[in-house]
Amino acid sequence: MATIRIGDLLKARGLLTDEQLHVALIQQKITGTLLGDALVNLGFISSKELGRILAEQSGIEFIDLGEYAISENALRAVQKDIAEKAGFIPLDMEDGRMTIGITNPSNIVAVDTATRAVKSPPKVCMVDADSFRDAMDRAYFFLENPIHKRMEDIISEIKATETATGAAVTNLANLIIMDGIRKNATDIHVNPTADMINIFYRVDGVMQHGHGIPKAAHNGIVSRIKILAQLDIAEQRLPQDGSFRFDFLSKGYDLRISTIPTIYGENIVMRILAGTGSLLRIEMLGFDEVNTKKIKALFHKPYGIILITGPTGSGKTTTLYAALREINLIERNVLTVEDPVEYKLSLIKQTQVNEKAGYDFALAGRNFMRQDPDVMLLGEIRDEETAKIAIRSSITGHLVLSTLHTNDAVTAIPRLLDLQVDRFLMSSSLLAIMAQRLARKICRYCKIEYSLNEHEISVFKEYGITLSSAFKGKGCSKCSGTGYTGRTVIGEILIIDDEIREMIYSGASIIAIKEAAVKKGMRPLKEDAIIKAAEGITTLDEVLRVAG
């Protein structure tokens, strides 16, 4: 049977157009890369989408390495150089049978090598090429360099001498950051107390205690991080902000540093900006079918403003980029200004805020108008000037996308008024406001059904859902005992139609606007979250943590 070519398969699935395939073939001719790589580099498909398609074509299960805890036993069974040469990653080991991840479905060498290593044929799964390289390097590095062991040795040395040498604090600072990268943390907290230092990591939006370090190392760790971020190590009375790049396993991580003085010494928070993330499609974010259709329709509009709101770390940028993929990048000129650029796409003209040079969202927005844009993405509306430029650009026939920090969709309206935006111009330019949060998904490997108590039954009943049982994760090695792997979007979409436009212009109350939107089919955040708990995607506890 003839194998269907990857381009034809992607076209058949509606993931690729003839036009995109034509551009990719030109890029392939010039760069000499594989067609699949050219499609990924151009941003027409993501590495994960390519992996899923190949898995489906071959009838193999696809595993998302970003949501999978690799077993140390499996890694120990095969040396890194052997696995690398054969083109597979050991994933799991159960009852003497190994699970391996491959990027090429016809990789017979991988199956033979794994069979020889454990004396039985492996279970073969498909993984995407981008995650494969990253996961391979990280898994073997942390296997050979166990962070807890290395930290314990340094801590024992500090406790014995009651002093922390320069080498010890440098190593501790590096290990603290490396462990944050290993855990896929978004933030690292260095919290001093009267007797010790606590290291916390924010993983999937939740704080986790990582390490306890003797107080003697505090000043040294703070100074080390401040030197890296080019901050004043002598200034301990005032807050300071800085940033530095941390190179680890051939990948660069941008870290934003914030210090504040506390009664026990300086408290440090490091935000990890991991560079290029994984591009998703609207369908993969977690919105339901109705909202997915609404979002797709919005991003095909020729002009107006679409705002995405939510707190820091609620996935606003990911949603914006997923929506950008709905826009025909060959026919429309897209310009972005971001802080920082999180996803790199060849056909989008991306720029990055540079505070030192005076290049901010407002300056970029003003100059974008001379670049013949169709679509403008302003990373965030932070001030009056940026808000006014966004409104002006949309009125002059451009589609403007941006984000705003508000708790729900409707409160974006008073926030814009607070930024001195003209009420008439705002009502006539707004297309939609989306609000979102990220909720952790139940781990599919340890998902169990349980009986609801009276309070939980009443919470579901409030939203017209009658249930006696729901799902949760009991905790397993795949999810590091948390019961959750990965996250999904919970969101609400406020479409600005003529009636709501008139309400905004006439100064109607936020409550009245929200009621009108709900009547027209807007599902509020909390309700969307409750439905996801009822469907077994997330838990009621997680809903109450995220949506209140």
Side-chain angles (χ1 to χ4, degrees):
M1 194 180 85
T3 309
I4 304 170
R5 289 186 305 183
I6 192 73
D8 295 333
L9 195 62
L10 289 163
K11 276 183 355 190
R13 291 286 145 80
L15 295 172
L16 195 68
T17 64
D18 283 322
E19 214 172 5
Q20 289 172 328
L21 184 57
H22 174 66
V23 172
L25 288 166
I26 292 170
Q27 171 141 333
Q28 184 193 18
K29 208 172 180 180
I30 291 167
T31 60
T33 56
L34 293 168
L35 178 62
D37 292 340
L39 291 167
V40 170
N41 292 339
L42 284 162
F44 295 150
I45 59 167
S46 71
S47 184
K48 276 187 185 156
E49 283 163 359
L50 183 61
R52 283 181 200 278
I53 283 286
L54 289 170
E56 207 176 305
Q57 188 187 25
S58 317
I60 304 173
E61 183 191 350
F62 178 82
I63 282 185
D64 182 349
L65 288 173
E67 296 180 2
Y68 193 92
I70 295 168
S71 150
E72 286 194 356
N73 289 339
L75 294 169
R76 283 196 186 94
V78 186
Q79 287 175 5
K80 186 188 180 190
D81 56 344
I82 293 170
E84 223 162 15
K85 196 176 172 188
F88 74 91
I89 180 168
L91 296 174
D92 202 2
M93 195 76 162
E94 219 168 283
D95 302 326
R97 192 184 183 202
M98 186 187 279
T99 301
I100 63 168
I102 55 171
T103 57
N104 177 357
S106 54
N107 187 347
I108 313 276
V109 178
V111 178
D112 289 345
T113 309
T115 304
R116 279 199 304 274
V118 292
K119 308 289 182 285
S120 67
K123 178 187 173 188
V124 181
C125 297
M126 196 77 195
V127 296
D128 70 284
D130 281 2
S131 302
F132 174 82
R133 287 185 283 269
D134 193 30
M136 187 80 141
D137 286 344
R138 281 169 62 165
Y140 277 102
F141 176 85
F142 290 119
L143 178 74
E144 290 152 21
N145 303 276
I147 282 181
H148 279 270
K149 174 78 176 76
R150 288 174 68 186
M151 286 191 92
E152 277 170 21
D153 293 344
I154 298 168
I155 289 166
S156 301
E157 185 190 312
I158 293 168
K159 279 162 75 179
T161 58
E162 292 185 8
T163 55
T165 62
V169 294
T170 299
N171 286 332
L172 271 179
N174 287 343
L175 289 167
I176 289 165
I177 297 167
M178 282 179 198
D179 207 22
I181 292 168
R182 182 179 74 86
K183 291 173 187 283
N184 294 321
T186 51
D187 301 87
I188 302 170
H189 294 243
V190 181
N191 300 157
T193 64
D195 314 307
M196 63 182 285
I197 315 161
N198 286 305
I199 308 297
F200 287 91
Y201 297 101
R202 188 176 290 280
V203 181
D204 284 343
V206 179
M207 293 276 274
Q208 293 179 3
H209 188 272
H211 310 280
I213 295 170
K215 183 78 172 179
H218 181 247
N219 288 340
I221 290 171
V222 169
S223 297
R224 171 67 186 156
I225 292 166
K226 280 184 164 183
I227 288 164
L228 288 169
Q230 298 180 324
L231 302 177
D232 182 356
I233 59 169
E235 180 55 79
Q236 298 177 356
R237 302 158 302 165
L238 295 169
Q240 294 187 68
D241 289 309
S243 63
F244 65 90
R245 189 176 172 85
F246 187 80
D247 291 313
F248 179 60
L249 297 175
S250 68
K251 194 172 175 185
Y253 296 84
D254 290 317
L255 273 78
R256 299 252 173 105
I257 311 304
S258 169
T259 75
I260 58 162
T262 74
I263 54 171
Y264 298 120
E266 286 180 282
N267 190 81
I268 290 185
V269 175
M270 295 180 266
R271 165 144 287 199
I272 304 173
L273 303 164
T276 308
S278 178
L279 271 176
L280 297 172
R281 287 190 185 267
I282 294 285
E283 294 88 343
M284 301 298 290
L285 294 173
F287 290 105
D288 65 17
E289 207 176 318
V290 174
N291 280 343
T292 299
K293 279 181 183 161
K294 283 182 189 172
I295 297 167
K296 285 188 164 198
L298 283 169
F299 281 85
H300 286 125
K301 301 267 186 191
Y303 54 84
I305 292 182
I306 300 170
L307 287 176
I308 301 186
T309 74
T312 305
S314 58
K316 299 188 291 292
T317 310
T318 305
T319 300
L320 272 179
Y321 266 90
L324 269 186
R325 295 181 71 191
E326 291 300 313
I327 293 166
N328 186 333
L329 299 179
I330 297 168
E331 290 181 359
R332 299 177 84 182
N333 183 22
V334 180
L335 291 149
T336 81
V337 56
E338 302 163 69
D339 184 22
V341 169
E342 287 181 46
Y343 301 92
K344 295 182 176 75
L345 287 177
S346 295
L347 294 178
I348 294 178
K349 284 57 111 186
Q350 296 171 283
T351 72
Q352 195 157 299
V353 165
N354 185 337
E355 301 286 0
K356 284 179 185 164
Y359 184 67
D360 58 10
F361 292 119
L363 181 67
R366 278 200 306 275
N367 285 282
F368 279 1
M369 297 304 287
R370 302 188 194 108
Q371 286 278 320
D372 181 30
D374 294 297
V375 182
M376 289 163 53
L377 188 154
L378 305 176
E380 191 185 333
I381 293 177
R382 291 179 181 170
D383 52 41
E384 192 178 321
E385 196 181 355
T386 313
K388 286 181 175 172
I389 286 163
I391 298 282
R392 209 174 302 134
S393 304
S394 69
I395 286 168
T396 52
H398 303 93
L399 183 65
V400 179
L401 320 172
S402 194
T403 68
L404 201 62
H405 285 282
T406 61
N407 283 331
D408 59 13
V410 184
T411 47
I413 295 162
R415 176 77 185 106
L416 287 171
L417 291 171
D418 189 39
L419 292 170
Q420 308 302 312
V421 170
D422 179 84
R423 197 181 274 277
F424 170 71
L425 293 180
M426 175 173 68
S427 64
S428 55
S429 62
L430 273 175
L431 285 174
I433 305 165
M434 294 164 57
Q436 66 177 63
R437 299 282 188 283
L438 289 176
R440 292 179 294 170
K441 292 189 293 186
I442 299 169
C443 171
R444 66 191 178 103
Y445 296 101
C446 62
K447 189 174 181 178
I448 54 163
E449 197 169 352
Y450 73 102
S451 299
L452 296 170
N453 61 35
E454 278 180 33
H455 169 66
E456 290 168 328
I457 289 168
S458 68
V459 171
F460 280 117
K461 253 199 182 129
E462 226 178 287
Y463 292 88
I465 299 166
T466 307
L467 285 179
S468 59
S469 66
F471 293 92
K472 65 179 178 183
K474 63 178 180 183
C476 66
S477 61
K478 303 275 195 315
C479 60
S480 304
T482 60
Y484 299 97
T485 50
R487 291 193 282 180
T488 186
V489 163
I490 52 172
E492 62 183 17
I493 302 174
L494 171 63
I495 306 281
I496 314 293
D497 62 7
D498 290 342
E499 187 190 331
I500 290 176
R501 197 165 275 122
E502 180 56 41
M503 290 176 84
I504 294 169
Y505 178 56
S506 60
S509 73
I510 293 305
I511 294 168
I513 294 172
K514 189 165 184 174
E515 281 174 357
V518 169
K519 269 183 198 160
K520 289 168 182 286
M522 181 182 91
R523 183 192 284 167
L525 263 175
K526 178 89 177 272
E527 190 179 332
D528 189 46
I530 292 284
I531 288 167
K532 282 194 168 64
E535 289 170 351
I537 296 165
T538 187
T539 64
L540 201 53
D541 283 350
E542 185 68 359
V543 165
L544 300 173
R545 181 186 75 80
V546 172

